[in-house]
mmCIF file of all heavy atoms in Angstrom:
data_model
loop_
_atom_site.group_PDB
_atom_site.id
_atom_site.type_symbol
_atom_site.label_atom_id
_atom_site.label_comp_id
_atom_site.label_asym_id
_atom_site.label_seq_id
_atom_site.Cartn_x
_atom_site.Cartn_y
_atom_site.Cartn_z
ATOM 1 N N ILE A 8 -210.013 213.234 111.232
ATOM 2 C CA ILE A 8 -210.529 211.986 111.817
ATOM 3 C C ILE A 8 -209.691 211.579 113.025
ATOM 4 O O ILE A 8 -208.474 211.460 112.936
ATOM 5 C CB ILE A 8 -210.514 210.849 110.774
ATOM 6 C CG1 ILE A 8 -211.467 211.172 109.631
ATOM 7 C CG2 ILE A 8 -210.875 209.521 111.424
ATOM 8 C CD1 ILE A 8 -211.416 210.174 108.494
ATOM 9 N N LYS A 9 -210.364 211.364 114.123
ATOM 10 C CA LYS A 9 -209.734 210.847 115.340
ATOM 11 C C LYS A 9 -210.548 209.631 115.775
ATOM 12 O O LYS A 9 -211.652 209.764 116.289
ATOM 13 C CB LYS A 9 -209.741 211.892 116.464
ATOM 14 C CG LYS A 9 -209.120 213.214 116.100
ATOM 15 C CD LYS A 9 -207.617 213.147 116.161
ATOM 16 C CE LYS A 9 -207.019 214.529 116.027
ATOM 17 N NZ LYS A 9 -206.297 214.743 114.815
ATOM 18 N N HIS A 10 -210.034 208.433 115.497
ATOM 19 C CA HIS A 10 -210.761 207.214 115.825
ATOM 20 C C HIS A 10 -209.761 206.116 116.135
ATOM 21 O O HIS A 10 -208.698 206.041 115.508
ATOM 22 C CB HIS A 10 -211.652 206.800 114.644
ATOM 23 C CG HIS A 10 -212.625 205.724 114.975
ATOM 24 N ND1 HIS A 10 -212.296 204.389 114.952
ATOM 25 C CD2 HIS A 10 -213.924 205.796 115.343
ATOM 26 C CE1 HIS A 10 -213.355 203.670 115.290
ATOM 27 N NE2 HIS A 10 -214.350 204.503 115.531
ATOM 28 N N GLN A 11 -210.111 205.247 117.069
ATOM 29 C CA GLN A 11 -209.176 204.213 117.503
ATOM 30 C C GLN A 11 -208.827 203.215 116.403
ATOM 31 O O GLN A 11 -207.795 202.551 116.480
ATOM 32 C CB GLN A 11 -209.718 203.475 118.721
ATOM 33 C CG GLN A 11 -210.973 202.659 118.458
ATOM 34 C CD GLN A 11 -211.467 201.971 119.717
ATOM 35 O OE1 GLN A 11 -210.957 202.195 120.805
ATOM 36 N NE2 GLN A 11 -212.475 201.131 119.573
ATOM 37 N N TYR A 12 -209.667 203.080 115.375
ATOM 38 C CA TYR A 12 -209.403 202.123 114.309
ATOM 39 C C TYR A 12 -208.909 202.773 113.017
ATOM 40 O O TYR A 12 -208.859 202.132 111.974
ATOM 41 C CB TYR A 12 -210.649 201.287 114.022
ATOM 42 C CG TYR A 12 -211.055 200.456 115.213
ATOM 43 C CD1 TYR A 12 -212.296 200.615 115.813
ATOM 44 C CD2 TYR A 12 -210.184 199.526 115.763
ATOM 45 C CE1 TYR A 12 -212.672 199.860 116.912
ATOM 46 C CE2 TYR A 12 -210.548 198.771 116.868
ATOM 47 C CZ TYR A 12 -211.784 198.940 117.435
ATOM 48 O OH TYR A 12 -212.138 198.198 118.521
ATOM 49 N N VAL A 13 -208.560 204.044 113.083
ATOM 50 C CA VAL A 13 -208.023 204.755 111.927
ATOM 51 C C VAL A 13 -206.625 205.264 112.288
ATOM 52 O O VAL A 13 -206.433 205.836 113.359
ATOM 53 C CB VAL A 13 -208.931 205.942 111.517
ATOM 54 C CG1 VAL A 13 -208.330 206.719 110.362
ATOM 55 C CG2 VAL A 13 -210.323 205.441 111.168
ATOM 56 N N VAL A 14 -205.679 205.032 111.416
ATOM 57 C CA VAL A 14 -204.299 205.483 111.646
ATOM 58 C C VAL A 14 -204.303 206.986 111.916
ATOM 59 O O VAL A 14 -204.923 207.753 111.186
ATOM 60 C CB VAL A 14 -203.412 205.163 110.419
ATOM 61 C CG1 VAL A 14 -202.035 205.766 110.558
ATOM 62 C CG2 VAL A 14 -203.324 203.665 110.223
ATOM 63 N N GLY A 15 -203.585 207.397 112.962
ATOM 64 C CA GLY A 15 -203.550 208.806 113.352
ATOM 65 C C GLY A 15 -202.682 209.651 112.419
ATOM 66 O O GLY A 15 -201.637 209.222 111.945
ATOM 67 N N PHE A 16 -203.154 210.864 112.162
ATOM 68 C CA PHE A 16 -202.437 211.833 111.330
ATOM 69 C C PHE A 16 -201.580 212.703 112.238
ATOM 70 O O PHE A 16 -202.053 213.193 113.260
ATOM 71 C CB PHE A 16 -203.460 212.701 110.587
ATOM 72 C CG PHE A 16 -202.851 213.790 109.761
ATOM 73 C CD1 PHE A 16 -202.491 213.558 108.444
ATOM 74 C CD2 PHE A 16 -202.647 215.053 110.291
ATOM 75 C CE1 PHE A 16 -201.939 214.569 107.672
ATOM 76 C CE2 PHE A 16 -202.095 216.064 109.530
ATOM 77 C CZ PHE A 16 -201.741 215.817 108.222
ATOM 78 N N ASN A 17 -200.311 212.905 111.889
ATOM 79 C CA ASN A 17 -199.436 213.782 112.664
ATOM 80 C C ASN A 17 -199.293 215.147 111.992
ATOM 81 O O ASN A 17 -199.686 216.150 112.549
ATOM 82 C CB ASN A 17 -198.065 213.153 112.870
ATOM 83 C CG ASN A 17 -198.107 211.967 113.813
ATOM 84 O OD1 ASN A 17 -198.983 211.878 114.654
ATOM 85 N ND2 ASN A 17 -197.192 211.040 113.652
ATOM 86 N N HIS A 18 -198.725 215.185 110.812
ATOM 87 C CA HIS A 18 -198.587 216.438 110.066
ATOM 88 C C HIS A 18 -198.118 216.141 108.646
ATOM 89 O O HIS A 18 -197.854 214.990 108.310
ATOM 90 C CB HIS A 18 -197.623 217.405 110.763
ATOM 91 C CG HIS A 18 -196.194 216.945 110.772
ATOM 92 N ND1 HIS A 18 -195.712 215.981 111.635
ATOM 93 C CD2 HIS A 18 -195.146 217.302 110.004
ATOM 94 C CE1 HIS A 18 -194.434 215.781 111.401
ATOM 95 N NE2 HIS A 18 -194.064 216.562 110.410
ATOM 96 N N PHE A 19 -198.048 217.176 107.839
ATOM 97 C CA PHE A 19 -197.511 217.011 106.491
ATOM 98 C C PHE A 19 -196.721 218.252 106.117
ATOM 99 O O PHE A 19 -196.878 219.315 106.719
ATOM 100 C CB PHE A 19 -198.625 216.753 105.461
ATOM 101 C CG PHE A 19 -199.273 217.988 104.919
ATOM 102 C CD1 PHE A 19 -198.907 218.490 103.677
ATOM 103 C CD2 PHE A 19 -200.235 218.655 105.641
ATOM 104 C CE1 PHE A 19 -199.508 219.634 103.173
ATOM 105 C CE2 PHE A 19 -200.840 219.799 105.151
ATOM 106 C CZ PHE A 19 -200.473 220.291 103.911
ATOM 107 N N PHE A 20 -195.844 218.086 105.143
ATOM 108 C CA PHE A 20 -195.144 219.227 104.557
ATOM 109 C C PHE A 20 -194.732 218.840 103.149
ATOM 110 O O PHE A 20 -194.838 217.683 102.752
ATOM 111 C CB PHE A 20 -193.945 219.671 105.405
ATOM 112 C CG PHE A 20 -192.758 218.758 105.349
ATOM 113 C CD1 PHE A 20 -191.753 218.960 104.424
ATOM 114 C CD2 PHE A 20 -192.647 217.697 106.227
ATOM 115 C CE1 PHE A 20 -190.645 218.112 104.374
ATOM 116 C CE2 PHE A 20 -191.553 216.849 106.194
ATOM 117 C CZ PHE A 20 -190.549 217.056 105.265
ATOM 118 N N GLU A 21 -194.305 219.824 102.390
ATOM 119 C CA GLU A 21 -193.848 219.551 101.036
ATOM 120 C C GLU A 21 -192.591 220.343 100.738
ATOM 121 O O GLU A 21 -192.330 221.375 101.338
ATOM 122 C CB GLU A 21 -194.943 219.873 100.022
ATOM 123 C CG GLU A 21 -195.457 221.291 100.047
ATOM 124 C CD GLU A 21 -196.608 221.498 99.088
ATOM 125 O OE1 GLU A 21 -196.371 221.478 97.862
ATOM 126 O OE2 GLU A 21 -197.736 221.678 99.574
ATOM 127 N N ASP A 22 -191.811 219.796 99.815
ATOM 128 C CA ASP A 22 -190.649 220.509 99.291
ATOM 129 C C ASP A 22 -190.826 220.617 97.779
ATOM 130 O O ASP A 22 -191.933 220.396 97.275
ATOM 131 C CB ASP A 22 -189.331 219.834 99.702
ATOM 132 C CG ASP A 22 -189.190 218.405 99.205
ATOM 133 O OD1 ASP A 22 -189.891 218.014 98.244
ATOM 134 O OD2 ASP A 22 -188.355 217.671 99.764
ATOM 135 N N LYS A 23 -189.788 220.950 97.059
ATOM 136 C CA LYS A 23 -189.903 221.128 95.615
ATOM 137 C C LYS A 23 -190.344 219.856 94.889
ATOM 138 O O LYS A 23 -191.045 219.928 93.896
ATOM 139 C CB LYS A 23 -188.565 221.579 95.014
ATOM 140 C CG LYS A 23 -188.300 223.039 95.122
ATOM 141 C CD LYS A 23 -187.004 223.506 94.478
ATOM 142 C CE LYS A 23 -186.279 222.491 93.659
ATOM 143 N NZ LYS A 23 -185.005 222.956 93.106
ATOM 144 N N GLU A 24 -189.941 218.703 95.394
ATOM 145 C CA GLU A 24 -190.148 217.457 94.666
ATOM 146 C C GLU A 24 -191.220 216.529 95.236
ATOM 147 O O GLU A 24 -191.812 215.750 94.496
ATOM 148 C CB GLU A 24 -188.830 216.697 94.579
ATOM 149 C CG GLU A 24 -187.762 217.471 93.831
ATOM 150 C CD GLU A 24 -186.409 216.806 93.882
ATOM 151 O OE1 GLU A 24 -186.289 215.732 94.499
ATOM 152 O OE2 GLU A 24 -185.468 217.365 93.297
ATOM 153 N N ASP A 25 -191.464 216.584 96.553
ATOM 154 C CA ASP A 25 -192.335 215.603 97.192
ATOM 155 C C ASP A 25 -193.287 216.237 98.204
ATOM 156 O O ASP A 25 -193.045 217.330 98.706
ATOM 157 C CB ASP A 25 -191.501 214.555 97.936
ATOM 158 C CG ASP A 25 -190.535 213.817 97.036
ATOM 159 O OD1 ASP A 25 -190.988 213.243 96.033
ATOM 160 O OD2 ASP A 25 -189.330 213.825 97.332
ATOM 161 N N VAL A 26 -194.349 215.472 98.527
ATOM 162 C CA VAL A 26 -195.250 215.791 99.632
ATOM 163 C C VAL A 26 -195.070 214.674 100.655
ATOM 164 O O VAL A 26 -195.097 213.486 100.298
ATOM 165 C CB VAL A 26 -196.721 215.850 99.174
ATOM 166 C CG1 VAL A 26 -197.640 216.128 100.355
ATOM 167 C CG2 VAL A 26 -196.917 216.903 98.092
ATOM 168 N N TYR A 27 -194.876 215.030 101.910
ATOM 169 C CA TYR A 27 -194.628 214.068 102.990
ATOM 170 C C TYR A 27 -195.802 214.114 103.958
ATOM 171 O O TYR A 27 -196.115 215.167 104.507
ATOM 172 C CB TYR A 27 -193.350 214.406 103.752
ATOM 173 C CG TYR A 27 -192.123 214.459 102.877
ATOM 174 C CD1 TYR A 27 -191.780 215.622 102.184
ATOM 175 C CD2 TYR A 27 -191.309 213.352 102.742
ATOM 176 C CE1 TYR A 27 -190.659 215.676 101.380
ATOM 177 C CE2 TYR A 27 -190.168 213.396 101.933
ATOM 178 C CZ TYR A 27 -189.862 214.558 101.260
ATOM 179 O OH TYR A 27 -188.746 214.609 100.464
ATOM 180 N N ILE A 28 -196.439 212.972 104.174
ATOM 181 C CA ILE A 28 -197.561 212.871 105.104
ATOM 182 C C ILE A 28 -197.123 211.946 106.236
ATOM 183 O O ILE A 28 -196.855 210.760 106.015
ATOM 184 C CB ILE A 28 -198.815 212.307 104.405
ATOM 185 C CG1 ILE A 28 -199.170 213.154 103.179
ATOM 186 C CG2 ILE A 28 -199.981 212.257 105.391
ATOM 187 C CD1 ILE A 28 -200.245 212.543 102.301
ATOM 188 N N PHE A 29 -197.034 212.488 107.442
ATOM 189 C CA PHE A 29 -196.578 211.717 108.601
ATOM 190 C C PHE A 29 -197.766 211.192 109.386
ATOM 191 O O PHE A 29 -198.654 211.946 109.770
ATOM 192 C CB PHE A 29 -195.672 212.567 109.492
ATOM 193 C CG PHE A 29 -194.335 212.809 108.860
ATOM 194 C CD1 PHE A 29 -194.132 213.871 107.999
ATOM 195 C CD2 PHE A 29 -193.281 211.947 109.112
ATOM 196 C CE1 PHE A 29 -192.903 214.075 107.393
ATOM 197 C CE2 PHE A 29 -192.054 212.138 108.516
ATOM 198 C CZ PHE A 29 -191.860 213.202 107.650
ATOM 199 N N LEU A 30 -197.756 209.874 109.622
ATOM 200 C CA LEU A 30 -198.856 209.178 110.250
ATOM 201 C C LEU A 30 -198.363 208.328 111.414
ATOM 202 O O LEU A 30 -197.169 208.050 111.534
ATOM 203 C CB LEU A 30 -199.527 208.254 109.227
ATOM 204 C CG LEU A 30 -199.981 208.905 107.918
ATOM 205 C CD1 LEU A 30 -200.290 207.835 106.876
ATOM 206 C CD2 LEU A 30 -201.174 209.782 108.172
ATOM 207 N N GLU A 31 -199.298 207.908 112.227
ATOM 208 C CA GLU A 31 -198.998 206.985 113.309
ATOM 209 C C GLU A 31 -198.434 205.697 112.709
ATOM 210 O O GLU A 31 -198.931 205.200 111.702
ATOM 211 C CB GLU A 31 -200.316 206.696 114.041
ATOM 212 C CG GLU A 31 -200.282 205.576 115.026
ATOM 213 C CD GLU A 31 -201.671 205.248 115.565
ATOM 214 O OE1 GLU A 31 -202.684 205.715 115.010
ATOM 215 O OE2 GLU A 31 -201.713 204.508 116.542
ATOM 216 N N LEU A 32 -197.398 205.164 113.313
ATOM 217 C CA LEU A 32 -196.804 203.907 112.853
ATOM 218 C C LEU A 32 -197.548 202.735 113.479
ATOM 219 O O LEU A 32 -197.678 202.658 114.695
ATOM 220 C CB LEU A 32 -195.321 203.847 113.223
ATOM 221 C CG LEU A 32 -194.579 202.590 112.799
ATOM 222 C CD1 LEU A 32 -194.540 202.490 111.286
ATOM 223 C CD2 LEU A 32 -193.184 202.576 113.367
ATOM 224 N N CYS A 33 -198.069 201.848 112.640
ATOM 225 C CA CYS A 33 -198.765 200.656 113.110
ATOM 226 C C CYS A 33 -197.827 199.477 112.953
ATOM 227 O O CYS A 33 -197.395 199.175 111.842
ATOM 228 C CB CYS A 33 -200.029 200.426 112.304
ATOM 229 S SG CYS A 33 -201.223 201.739 112.445
ATOM 230 N N GLN A 34 -197.514 198.856 114.057
ATOM 231 C CA GLN A 34 -196.627 197.693 114.014
ATOM 232 C C GLN A 34 -197.429 196.444 114.300
ATOM 233 O O GLN A 34 -198.333 196.446 115.117
ATOM 234 C CB GLN A 34 -195.500 197.858 115.016
ATOM 235 C CG GLN A 34 -194.638 199.056 114.698
ATOM 236 C CD GLN A 34 -193.517 199.246 115.714
ATOM 237 O OE1 GLN A 34 -193.539 198.668 116.772
ATOM 238 N NE2 GLN A 34 -192.556 200.067 115.359
ATOM 239 N N SER A 35 -197.071 195.360 113.615
ATOM 240 C CA SER A 35 -197.808 194.099 113.810
ATOM 241 C C SER A 35 -197.268 193.315 114.968
ATOM 242 O O SER A 35 -196.282 193.550 115.546
ATOM 243 C CB SER A 35 -197.735 193.259 112.550
ATOM 244 O OG SER A 35 -196.400 193.053 112.168
#
């Protein structure tokens, strides 16, 4: 999804314990 009203996706990765999903930072 690429849309101006949806937080942008950067990438993801995982290690033994966690899954990390990196997204656009929305600041108020």
Side-chain angles (χ1 to χ4, degrees):
I8 296 174
K9 305 281 190 248
H10 191 276
Q11 66 181 7
Y12 297 120
V13 177
V14 173
F16 177 89
N17 290 334
H18 67 282
F19 85 100
F20 73 92
E21 58 184 290
D22 60 20
K23 278 182 9 183
E24 299 173 0
D25 301 305
V26 178
Y27 302 85
I28 305 170
F29 288 87
L30 306 165
E31 169 187 13
L32 180 64
C33 298
Q34 298 179 345
S35 55

